[in-house]
Amino acid sequence: MKSRLPVIVAFLAGVLMIVAFFGRGAVVDRVAEEALAWQTIVAGFALLLGVGSIVRVHWHRLATGHPDRIYSLVLLICLTVMGGSGVLFGIGSGTLFDSLFERIQAPMMSTMFSVLAFFIASAAYRAFRARNVLSAILLLTAVIVMLGRIPMGQYIYHALPDWANWIMMVPSVAVQRGIIIGAALGAASMALRVILGIERTYLGQGG
Amino acid sequence: MTIGGHKPGRTLARTRYPRIPRLWLIPICAAVLTATPAWAQEPSGVFRMERLNALVLVVVFTLAILWFLRRAVKGAKLYVRPLPGVSAVDEAVGRATEMGRPVVFIPGTGDLDEIQTIAGLSVLGRVAHVTARYTTPLRVPVLYPLPMAAAKETVREAYIDEGMADHLTPETVQYVAGESFSYSARVGGMMIREKPAAAIYMGQFRAESLLIAEVGQSTGAIQIAGTAEPDQLPFFIAACDYTLIGEELYAASAYLSGEPRLLGSLKGQDLMKVLIALVVLVGVIFVTLGYGTEWWEALLQAQ
Amino acid sequence: MDRIQSVDRRVLYTLIFISVIIPVMWPLHLPTPETPEARAFFDAVEAIPPGSVVLFPFDFWPSTLPETEPMAVAGLRHCFRRDLKVVGLSNVGIGGPSVADRLLDSIGAEYGKVYGVDYVNLGYKAGYQAVLLGMANSIAAIFPTDHRGTRLDSLPLMQRALNYDSLSFVLIVSDNAMADYWVALVNARYGLPMVAGVTAVMAPKMLSYIHTGQIKGLLGGMKGAAEYEALLGESDMASRGMDAQSLIHLLIIGFIILGNIGYVASRRRPSPARAG
C-alpha cells in the first residue's frame, strides 16, 4: 500500500486537473481552485523542511569542526537575521528585511548574473571551433548575429544588422518552435506516464 | 556496467505503425472538428465546447501512447535511436566510481510542479541505484524544498533497494538556498572544493545554467545536461560534454530503464509528432496558396 | 599554437573586465540601430489614447535589473509622457514590489504624477494563475489593498480600473516565464493587447509571439532597451551600456577567431610519428 498510495494520489490529482480544464461548473472549478491553494500551502510547509535541512547540515559542520565551519557560521547568522527580521518587523517597503534585501542580496544577485558575461566569453572561446562544416556554419552565424546586434556592426558592413535580424526572426524562431513542440509532446507523454503510474522512478521505485 | 538492460539503437526489428483507422471514422471526426467553431459560439453546459479540439488531441495522443505501450508489453521489437547523452550517464558514473570522486546530480532548478523536475527526479532515481550499488558518493543540491523532499525520498528508496541505506548522509540531498543565483554560487563552490568526476544536470534551468556548467567544466568533470528550456540549451551545448535537447530529457528515463512500456510511450509520442508535422505542412500549403486560413486557425485554436 | 588554443581563462576575464571599464570611463556614444520589433513596441504604446489605463507588470528579479530596469524606466517615461494611467503589480514575491515602488515613484515624480490618481502599485500576490485569471473579473478581488495597504476603492484610479475590460493595454517587463503566462492566460483568453520587454536570452523564444500577433512589440535585453530609449529621444542606462556590450562582442569574436587559428594550425601540424 505504501508504494501504491502515491501512485493513486498522482492519478486522482492528474485526472482532477484534466477534468477541471475541460469541464465547467461550480463544483469542478471550486475543487480545482482548492487543489491549487493546497499546493501553495504544502509548498509553504515544505519550506520548513528546507530550512531544517540547511540548519542540520551546517550545525553538524560547526559541531564536528569541519574545515569550512566559518562559512557555515556565517550562513546560520545570515539565515537567523534575515528570517528573524522578516518575522518580527515584516517584509514591506522600508523594513529591515527590505533594506537588507535591496542593499545586500540584490547587488549580490546582480553580481552573479554579471559573472555570466565572463563565463560566456570563456565558453565561446572553448566551444566555437570549426571542427566540421556544421560547426563552421554555427560559428559564422554566431559571428553575424553578434556583430549585427551591436552599434558597430552597421559600420563594419551596412547589411549586418539586417542579416542578424533575419537569422533571429526566421531560422532561430523556426528551430525554437520545433524544440518547443517536441518538448511539449515529451512533457505530455511524461505527464501521462506519471498519471497512469507507468513512470514511478521519481518516487524511487523501479530502476 | 550498465544502468539499464537496454542498449538503445541495437534492437533489430522495426515496429509497424498501426493500420489506418476504419474509413467511417474519418468523416465523423471531420464533422466533429469542423462543427467545433459553431458550437463554441455559445458555450454552455458541463463541457467546455471551445476546448473540444484540445480534448480530441489529448484523446488521440493518449490512444497512441497506450497502443504502443500495449504492443511493447506484448513483445514487439521497438527501435529507438541511440542518444549519446543517455549512454554517457553510464560512463560518467563509472568514471566517478573508478576515480573515487563524487557524482553531482542537479534535478533542475524548477519547483515540483514543473514536469521537467519530475523528469530529472526520474533520472536521479536510476543514477542513485548505481551510485548506491558501487558506493560512489552522490551529491544532490536542490533549489526548492518540495523537490528536495522528493529527491530525498527517491534517493533513499534507491539506496534501500540496493541495501546501502547506511551510506546515506544528510549531505547527500541538500536544500541549498531558495534563489537561483545563491544556489549557483553554493553549487559552484561545492564543485570547486569536492571536484566531482561527473556532473549531471537534468531538469528546468534558468540563468544559472551557464554559471554551474562552466564551473563544472573548470573542475574537469564529465558533464551531461538535459533541459527543455530553449533559452538555456545553447549554454549547455557550449559548456557540457553531452546535452539532451527538449524531449530527449523526458525520454532519458525510458532509455535508462529499458522498460518496454516506457519505450512504447516514446513511439506514441513520435506518432503524434508526425501528425503535428503533417498539420503544419497542410497549414503552410494553405497559407502559401491563400486558401481557408481562417477556418484552419479556428480548428486549431483552443481557448 | 597550442597556447593560443588554451589561453588561461583569467586572461580572458581580465580583458572582458577592461572592455567594460573603458566605455564607462570614456563613453563612445554609439548609435543603436532599431529593430522592427522595438519600433513596433514603441508604436503600440504611442497608439494608446491618452488617459487610458495600462497594466504594468514588473515581473523581474533584482538580479536582472541591468537589463530590465532600463526597459521599465523607458516604458514608464513613455506612459507618463502620453498621460497614460499606470497600474503596476509584480508576480515576483521578493524584490518585485519594492522595485516597482521605487521606479513608479521616481519616474512619476519626474512628470508630476500623483499616486492613486495617475499610478498605483498593487504589489504582489502568490499564485500567478489565480492572479492573472482572477483580475479578468475583478482586480479588487485579487488585490483588496495596494502594496502600501491602502484599500483599492479609496484610490481614484482604481475606481476606473476594475478588471481587464477597463484596461487598454499590458506593458510587460519580465525575466522569467511570466511573459509566456501573460500571453497564454491573458492575451489568448481575453484579447488584451500587450507588448513585452524581456532579457536577451528570452528574446528569441518570444519572437514567435510577434509572428502570431500575440504581442505587438518586443524589447530584447539591453539592446532593446537602448533602441527604445533612442526612439524616445533619450540616452540613459541602456544606451550607455551598449558601448560596453559592443566592445565585449568584438572581444569575444576575437577570442573565437584566436581559438580557431590555433585549432586549424594544430590540425595542419604533422604528427610526431609522420615527422620522424
Side-chain angles (χ1 to χ4, degrees), chain A residues 102 125 128 130 146 149 151 169, chain C residues 4 31 98 211 223 249 260:
Chain A
E102 289 277 319
Y125 166 72
F128 285 175
M146 275 196 281
R149 300 285 289 178
M169 292 290 276
Chain C
I4 290 177
S98 51
H211 286 181
K223 180 177 188 294
H249 276 213
N260 278 282

Side-chain angles (χ1 to χ4, degrees), chain C residues 151-206:
Chain C
R151 287 199 60 81
L152 246 55
D153 49 21
S154 67
L155 298 169
L157 175 56
M158 296 316 295
Q159 286 163 20
R160 283 181 56 193
L162 302 172
N163 51 37
Y164 287 153
D165 289 336
S166 327
L167 305 177
S168 302
F169 208 79
V170 186
L171 200 161
I172 307 160
V173 181
S174 174
D175 67 354
N176 55 64
M178 280 310 305
D180 294 282
Y181 298 138
W182 278 105
V183 174
L185 296 178
V186 178
N187 175 266
R189 290 198 197 193
Y190 307 105
L192 205 51
M194 49 184 63
V195 291
V198 298
T199 57
V201 164
M202 290 174 62
K205 190 174 68 169
M206 298 297 291

Side-chain angles (χ1 to χ4, degrees), chain A residues 5-23:
Chain A
L5 185 61
V7 178
I8 294 171
V9 170
F11 174 77
L12 290 174
V15 168
L16 168 68
M17 299 315 289
I18 291 172
V19 168
F21 182 79
F22 290 109

Side-chain angles (χ1 to χ4, degrees), chain A residues 36 93 98 101-102 106 109-110 113 118-122 124-126 128-131 139 143 146-147 149-152 154-156 165 168-169 172-173 176-177 180, chain C residues 4-7 12-13 16 30-31 33 35-36 62-64 67 94-95 98 101 129 147 204-205 207-208 211 223 242 246 249-250 252-253 255-256 259-260 263 267:
Chain A
L36 287 173
S93 294
D98 190 56
F101 184 84
E102 289 277 319
M109 287 161 69
S110 294
F113 189 62
F118 299 94
F119 282 176
I120 282 174
S122 59
Y125 166 72
R126 193 184 59 250
F128 285 175
R129 301 286 161 90
R131 294 184 181 86
L139 176 59
V143 169
M146 275 196 281
L147 286 176
R149 300 285 289 178
I150 57 173
M152 285 181 192
Q154 61 182 346
Y155 297 117
I156 295 171
N165 270 345
M168 297 285 284
M169 292 290 276
S172 172
V173 169
Q176 297 259 352
R177 282 190 180 135
I180 289 168
Chain C
I4 290 177
Q5 281 196 85
S6 53
V7 172
L12 305 180
Y13 297 163
I16 294 279
L30 297 168
T35 52
S63 50
T64 58
E67 280 192 284
I94 299 178
S98 51
D101 240 5
Q129 277 189 1
H147 182 56
K205 190 174 68 169
L207 281 172
S208 52
H211 286 181
K223 180 177 188 294
M242 282 310 295
S246 300
H249 276 213
L250 289 173
I252 291 175
I253 291 168
F255 292 158
I256 292 171
N260 278 282
Y263 176 72
R267 285 188 67 182

